Amino acid sequence: MWFGKEEGEVQPAPERHEEMSRPRAGERAARGGKHAGGSEGREPRAELWAGSGAGSAAEGEARSDSRAQGGKRVGVAQCIVGLPWGRAACKGESKKEEEDGEPTSKSDQERGLECTCKSRGIKREEKEGDGPFVSIFAIGGLVGAIIVTPIVKFFGRKCTLLLNNVFAVTAALLMSLSLLAGSFEMLILGRVIMGVDAGISLSALPMYLSEISPKEIRGSLGQVTAIFICVGVFTGQVLGLPEIFGQESRWPYLFGAIIVPSLIQVVILPFLPESPRYLLLEKHNKSKAEKAFQTFLGKDDVSREVEEVLAESRVQRNTKLVSILQLLRTRAVRWQVITVVVTMGCYQLCGLNAIWYYTNNIFSEAGINHETIPYVTLSTGAVETLAAVFSGLVIERLGRRPLLIGGFGLMVVFFAVLTVSLTLQKTVQWLPYLSIFCILAIIASFCIGPGGIPFVLTGEFFQQSQRPAAFMIAGTVNWLSNFAVGLLFPFIQGGLQTYCFLVFAAICFAGATYLFFVLPETKNKTFNEISQAFAKRNKVSLDMQEMNHYPGERKSSAEQESNFTSSVDNGETKKGIV
């Protein structure tokens, strides 16, 4: 529901797609959030809006799965306010209007929202668009990204993912019971908590996957995060169909479905080992690390893998985990940090939210009736999932650079074509079909590279002691960008209309240009080899790079060797040396 500039004036909302963004897993979970809305006179589908929220939760969950997005569902709170309780609160006024012979031209959603605001003492002119409701999920995600570093340090990667299900279950209960309790505040609180779950998941899971993966399949396994975010979004779309939970009376069950992936993770995850790198380099427990390697690799002799880990981290193995400030001061990783910031920023600012916003209207312009659009929309989720799977299959052959730069480059092209198509679609009969093709092409272009590779790169760029701080930086940029998109996009769209896609095309072009000149190929390389690839740009020699991995005092190499070997052999946990 959009509100006019004049005080008390209510204007009908433009046609919108029921699911505006992506997760992005927890909630794009993460890729971020689907948009909801309805035009005047059309029966709103609360269940579809709720369904997109469940998809977000599924992506936040398991990556076992946030959408995610993870997350980022627009207008859900407004839907809840404006339908069940608002409609009930409005029955008396509606009946009075009919008795007085006054026209009742307002839609149920519009009347419900107006009456609910009145009953709660909220001035309508204070509610300008859906931005705050979109962004509330991102606020939770930001909190999760900030607290993940101390949690993974203390509990480890696996236990962090396991304990994170407490947030998911709590959020599911709050949101599913909000109708029964008659409290939309419970829905908002549940949305924030689901954001925390997504923020933790989108940092802890890529970190865990990067540490358990052999270098030969590190990229493919890292793409699992993006694949399950897409699966979560598609699942939310399917469950939101009218035949399943796509009815107003059933949307609480859809929010409750978030518990299912949480329970699956709680049952399966305890049987998986902790990250062997975490056990070896942070807990200094060689026996448990060897057992973890044996479980993951399926062989008894893992001495070569253990030695590789020790060799890669020989320089900083006795160093405690660095903080964000220390990481930012480390000259040897300066360009790695900048690259992570750029890729994460472009991940959220590349314009996928705008695509979801226009999808419903474009389908309508192509002659698809409103009742059929939810089913046609499944094609977007299917394309997402197939593109993410394709990326996971070819990333170790083609590499990270071609997929990431190529994905952004293709988005620039299709954004330009889409802008022309939408501008002229009233004059040429077949242009709406071209617009549909551009939408699917943009979604596919995003998922083959920009949708998952930024998380892979964050795990590959940094040594063990730097990785938690690096993921905190990446997560902070991710969720702040998510927050900005949710808050500002309605104003950008309102001012530029279809030309808003040119803004996103410019962002994608800038990101692709930066990555073309700065990003080295990391395929099948060790962490040390990746650090060496950045050494020249960071203007440090290899020896200088080793000294700069931690900007503190260091003991002699001989003393470090003696201390570390003794610690590992005895299976003791020793604090790092400053």
Side-chain angles (χ1 to χ4, degrees):
M1 185 66 57
W2 295 95
F3 294 87
K5 295 182 180 178
E6 298 297 330
E7 182 173 353
E9 177 186 357
V10 181
Q11 297 178 348
E15 192 66 29
R16 294 186 179 177
H17 181 34
E18 279 79 357
E19 315 192 48
M20 174 187 166
S21 154
R22 77 179 273 100
R24 165 271 230 65
E27 205 236 351
R28 347 234 272 250
R31 256 171 333 55
K34 314 286 182 182
H35 195 77
S39 58
E40 187 172 12
R42 178 187 172 194
E43 180 66 22
R45 299 179 181 271
E47 62 282 359
L48 291 183
W49 295 326
S52 62
S56 158
E59 48 179 77
E61 245 334 276
R63 279 61 79 201
S64 116
D65 331 43
S66 279
R67 195 154 91 197
Q69 246 42 170
K72 310 183 283 185
R73 300 300 184 258
V74 183
V76 176
Q78 181 176 345
C79 164
I80 303 306
V81 173
L83 282 171
W85 304 300
R87 188 175 296 170
C90 221
K91 285 181 179 178
E93 292 190 16
S94 178
K95 184 177 181 181
K96 185 176 183 299
E97 286 179 1
E98 293 176 358
E99 291 175 353
D100 295 342
E102 297 179 4
T104 56
S105 59
K106 295 178 181 178
S107 67
D108 286 344
Q109 183 194 16
E110 182 176 317
R111 188 187 301 111
L113 179 60
E114 183 177 358
C115 293
T116 304
C117 291
K118 184 186 298 184
S119 67
R120 293 180 176 269
I122 301 173
K123 295 182 179 180
R124 292 195 306 272
E125 63 269 22
E126 292 176 358
K127 295 171 65 61
E128 297 182 357
D130 295 318
F133 295 122
V134 190
S135 305
I136 198 73
F137 180 85
I139 292 175
L142 180 61
V143 173
I146 291 174
I147 66 176
V148 71
T149 294
I151 294 177
V152 296
K153 176 183 178 181
F154 186 80
F155 291 105
R157 282 54 164 161
K158 186 188 80 169
C159 289
T160 296
L161 291 171
L162 196 59
L163 294 173
N164 195 35
N165 290 289
V166 174
F167 291 109
V169 173
T170 302
L173 292 176
L174 284 171
M175 292 189 290
S176 61
L177 297 176
S178 59
L179 178 61
L180 182 64
S183 171
F184 77 88
E185 290 85 359
M186 289 177 61
L187 183 78
I188 298 298
L189 179 59
R191 188 167 169 81
V192 173
I193 295 176
M194 198 68 238
V196 175
D197 170 83
I200 294 175
S201 295
L202 286 181
S203 292
L205 180 64
M207 196 183 308
Y208 181 63
L209 294 176
S210 68
E211 292 180 2
I212 68 174
S213 308
K215 63 181 181 180
E216 293 80 10
I217 60 170
R218 192 170 56 222
S220 296
L221 199 55
Q223 281 293 90
V224 169
T225 303
I227 291 172
F228 276 97
I229 286 176
C230 296
V231 170
V233 172
F234 183 68
T235 302
Q237 292 175 337
V238 172
L239 294 179
L241 292 175
E243 291 78 6
I244 307 178
F245 293 134
Q247 298 181 15
E248 184 180 330
S249 60
R250 297 178 185 174
W251 65 258
Y253 301 106
L254 198 46
F255 281 124
I258 298 171
I259 296 177
V260 175
S262 298
L263 294 179
I264 294 175
Q265 193 176 71
V266 168
V267 171
I268 295 178
L269 198 56
F271 295 97
L272 299 178
E274 179 57 90
S275 162
R277 290 177 176 274
Y278 169 79
L279 294 171
L280 186 60
L281 301 176
E282 295 185 33
K283 292 300 183 180
H284 304 303
N285 193 322
K286 187 175 181 180
S287 60
K288 286 188 176 181
E290 288 178 342
K291 290 180 181 179
F293 271 125
Q294 290 169 351
T295 301
F296 283 125
L297 300 178
K299 60 181 183 180
D300 295 329
D301 184 10
V302 293
S303 57
R304 184 175 66 87
E305 284 74 18
V306 171
E307 289 304 318
E308 283 183 359
V309 173
L310 295 177
E312 289 177 3
S313 301
R314 193 174 303 277
V315 176
Q316 45 85 58
R317 63 191 175 192
N318 275 326
T319 302
K320 67 178 181 180
L321 295 181
V322 303
S323 66
I324 290 181
L325 187 59
Q326 290 167 335
L327 185 64
L328 293 175
R329 289 176 176 175
T330 303
R331 185 176 179 181
V333 295
R334 183 170 300 167
W335 279 97
Q336 289 94 311
V337 172
I338 294 173
T339 302
V340 164
V341 171
V342 170
T343 54
M344 280 297 177
C346 291
Y347 168 77
Q348 286 291 350
L349 301 175
C350 66
L352 203 68
N353 289 354
I355 290 300
W356 292 118
Y357 181 95
Y358 273 94
T359 300
N360 197 39
N361 185 51
I362 292 173
F363 285 159
S364 297
E365 291 289 340
I368 301 172
N369 60 56
H370 294 311
E371 289 72 22
T372 308
I373 285 178
Y375 304 94
V376 178
T377 300
L378 294 178
S379 63
T380 61
V383 167
E384 270 189 316
T385 305
L386 292 176
V389 172
F390 172 79
S391 177
L393 293 174
V394 303
I395 189 172
E396 296 300 345
R397 294 184 180 182
L398 300 180
R400 284 66 158 156
R401 267 179 61 90
L403 292 176
L404 192 56
I405 298 172
F408 280 128
L410 289 174
M411 291 180 74
V412 172
V413 174
F414 290 117
F415 270 135
V417 176
L418 183 60
T419 300
V420 175
S421 176
L422 290 177
T423 304
L424 302 177
Q425 68 180 2
K426 298 292 185 180
T427 60
V428 182
Q429 186 176 4
W430 53 267
L431 277 181
Y433 299 98
L434 178 61
S435 299
I436 292 176
F437 172 79
C438 288
I439 283 177
L440 297 178
I442 290 170
I443 293 173
S445 300
F446 175 84
C447 291
I448 63 172
I453 293 179
F455 299 101
V456 176
L457 294 179
T458 305
E460 290 182 329
F461 282 171
F462 301 94
Q463 299 285 354
Q464 187 74 19
S465 63
Q466 302 163 337
R467 196 169 291 123
F471 270 101
M472 183 186 288
I473 293 174
T476 300
V477 173
N478 178 31
W479 292 105
L480 285 177
S481 300
N482 186 330
F483 179 86
V485 169
L487 200 61
L488 300 178
F489 174 71
F491 300 98
I492 296 174
Q493 189 278 332
L496 298 178
Q497 299 299 321
T498 58
Y499 293 101
C500 68
F501 292 115
L502 297 180
V503 175
F504 302 121
I507 293 174
C508 292
F509 179 78
T513 303
Y514 172 88
L515 294 171
F516 179 81
F517 289 104
V518 175
L519 180 66
E521 182 54 68
T522 60
K523 177 185 66 175
N524 203 26
K525 290 185 178 180
T526 65
F527 295 108
N528 267 355
E529 290 171 341
I530 296 171
S531 297
Q532 293 175 28
F534 277 102
K536 183 177 181 181
R537 189 170 295 277
N538 287 322
K539 297 181 179 179
V540 294
S541 63
L542 185 58
D543 292 338
M544 175 78 77
Q545 182 168 308
E546 294 176 353
M547 294 300 295
N548 273 282
H549 270 300
Y550 182 74
E553 297 177 3
R554 301 181 59 88
K555 292 189 176 183
S556 67
S557 299
E559 188 175 354
Q560 290 182 39
E561 183 76 25
S562 174
N563 290 342
F564 186 74
T565 303
S566 174
S567 175
V568 170
D569 289 342
N570 293 329
E572 301 171 353
T573 301
K574 297 185 69 176
K575 292 184 178 180
I577 300 173
V578 181

